[in-house]
Amino acid sequence: RSYTHTNTSMKFAANLFLLFASASAFAPANLNAPRAAQSALFMADDAAPEPVRIGTRGSPLALAQAYLTRELLMEKYPELNEKGAIEICVMKTQGDMILDKSLMELGGKGLFTKELDTALLNKEVDICVHSMKDVPTWLPEGTILPCNLEREDTNDAFISGDESVQVLDDLPDNAVIGTASLRRQAQLMAKNPTWKCVNFRGNVQTRLRKLDDGVVDATLLAIAGLKRMDMQACATTVLNWDEMLPAVAQGAIGIQCRDDDERSLKYISGLNHEETKSCVDCERSFLEALDGNCKTPIAGLARIIDGKLRFRGLISMPNGSETFRTESEGEVADAVAIGKAAGEKLKADAGDKFFEMMVEMSPQQVLGQLSKK
């Protein structure tokens, strides 16, 4: 009984203390306190600045790009070096979760951005970091993409599962190549129609593991992604743009925000790399002019050489049987116009019938020799 009474008394005292403590928290400030004390009190009332929340996919490559963005923000803006000033918010997209189907069967590139777009518009994140080649040419209303970080190497890496095969042309007839990209498939099969391309999705580590397991004889990956994860040693060789023209915006990172978010706009605009932005804008203008989708193999690359913007692009049948190419050059300031003109030219060269066939084909017909494994 004595123990019970003591315990009860202690509980009462504790509750009484909490009651007075809670009441004092809501008491008005002592306006007669010294000015310094008043200032300190009002400073305490001011909440710490809201963190900059970075939305990203959860793959190793996406995370590497998000952490690179965080590092660059911290380097440029001292206030973002404070603990908790930047948060990384990871989310899964539909494209990450469904790996047994090709992107074309699932409905296109927006599969890697829709969830991030929604989080951005709902103010769950402040900025989103994307691989630009995954971003559709249209953006949701209320969002903008004003920043491209300095571009990494744009080329594709050839990775062989056989030490005796060091370059693409060393692959024998009927070799099996893992790729989920119709762009790569079309250019590969144009080189050698006997090669077989199989659907090869998943993150970089998953694809390399399948290669080691002998599922395929070789695969192609963007060298930019390998470099960002310090895995470039995995590449057997790097293909130049004469051997394999890259995807539009390959190797570029884009940062998106809401169009009315002045704070985020200030931060990410300071990270923009003008040369990269000009080249990416040219390539995306080319893609938009073609109304490109995941049924059409499209490649395009802009480079600034000796102060001029040089662009090269192509469209092809998925099996590489028919390819249309274009090259152009002009002033960097005219990047968007150069890309648009190149796209319109290829559209005219290929003719309406070419694009009608792409629209009418089922995913299975478009994939041609592409099979799942």
Side-chain angles (χ1 to χ4, degrees), residues 143-311:
T143 73
I144 55 173
L145 208 159
C147 173
N148 287 137
L149 302 185
E150 185 172 2
R151 200 172 196 173
E152 186 47 271
D153 189 334
T154 60
N155 293 320
D156 281 322
F158 170 67
I159 307 174
S160 170
D162 183 345
E163 290 184 0
S164 67
V165 177
Q166 290 296 304
V167 296
L168 191 58
D169 289 339
D170 287 345
L171 282 173
D173 287 350
N174 301 308
V176 178
I177 305 169
T179 178
S181 164
L182 286 179
R183 168 190 64 86
R184 290 179 179 134
Q185 173 190 307
Q187 293 181 77
L188 287 168
M189 295 182 69
K191 289 177 180 292
N192 188 332
T194 73
W195 289 343
K196 183 178 181 182
C197 294
V198 298
N199 191 29
F200 212 56
R201 293 194 56 219
N203 61 39
V204 171
Q205 290 78 2
T206 299
R207 298 187 202 191
L208 292 178
R209 187 165 58 249
K210 289 180 180 180
L211 178 64
D212 288 341
D213 290 343
V215 175
V216 295
D217 298 312
T219 189
L220 276 69
L221 296 170
I223 189 64
L226 294 176
K227 284 186 174 183
R228 289 187 180 123
M229 294 185 289
D230 198 24
M231 295 175 64
Q232 60 267 37
C234 295
T236 305
T237 189
V238 178
L239 306 175
N240 62 45
W241 74 339
D242 292 316
E243 296 175 285
M244 179 68 61
L245 197 60
V248 163
Q250 183 160 303
I253 295 172
I255 309 179
Q256 178 189 18
C257 69
R258 292 180 295 277
D259 60 13
D260 61 352
D261 184 349
E262 293 184 7
R263 183 183 73 145
S264 294
L265 273 168
K266 179 195 77 170
Y267 283 141
I268 65 177
S269 295
L271 301 185
N272 185 50
H273 187 254
E274 290 292 344
E275 184 173 313
T276 298
K277 187 76 164 58
S278 295
C279 291
V280 169
D281 286 350
C282 174
E283 295 164 21
R284 285 169 58 80
S285 177
F286 166 73
L287 184 64
E288 185 176 21
L290 287 169
D291 194 24
N293 57 56
C294 283
K295 282 187 177 182
T296 311
I298 298 174
L301 178 64
R303 300 192 297 184
I304 297 175
I305 302 173
D306 298 330
K308 296 288 188 179
L309 187 141
R310 298 183 185 178
F311 176 78

Side-chain angles (χ1 to χ4, degrees), residues 16-90:
L16 192 63
F17 173 79
L18 290 173
L19 178 63
F20 280 109
S22 300
S24 65
F26 291 95
N30 180 5
L31 300 181
N32 294 319
R35 185 173 299 276
Q38 290 182 41
S39 299
L41 185 60
F42 284 116
M43 286 173 65
D45 284 347
D46 290 337
E50 289 292 322
V52 175
R53 298 164 298 172
I54 300 176
T56 177
R57 294 165 55 201
S59 72
L61 175 55
L63 288 172
Q65 295 177 163
Y67 280 105
L68 170 62
T69 301
R70 184 182 73 167
E71 181 181 330
L72 293 173
L73 285 168
M74 291 171 68
E75 286 177 3
K76 189 163 184 69
Y77 302 103
E79 68 270 26
L80 296 183
N81 280 279
E82 298 294 328
K83 185 177 180 181
I86 301 177
E87 293 179 1
I88 304 289
C89 305
V90 180

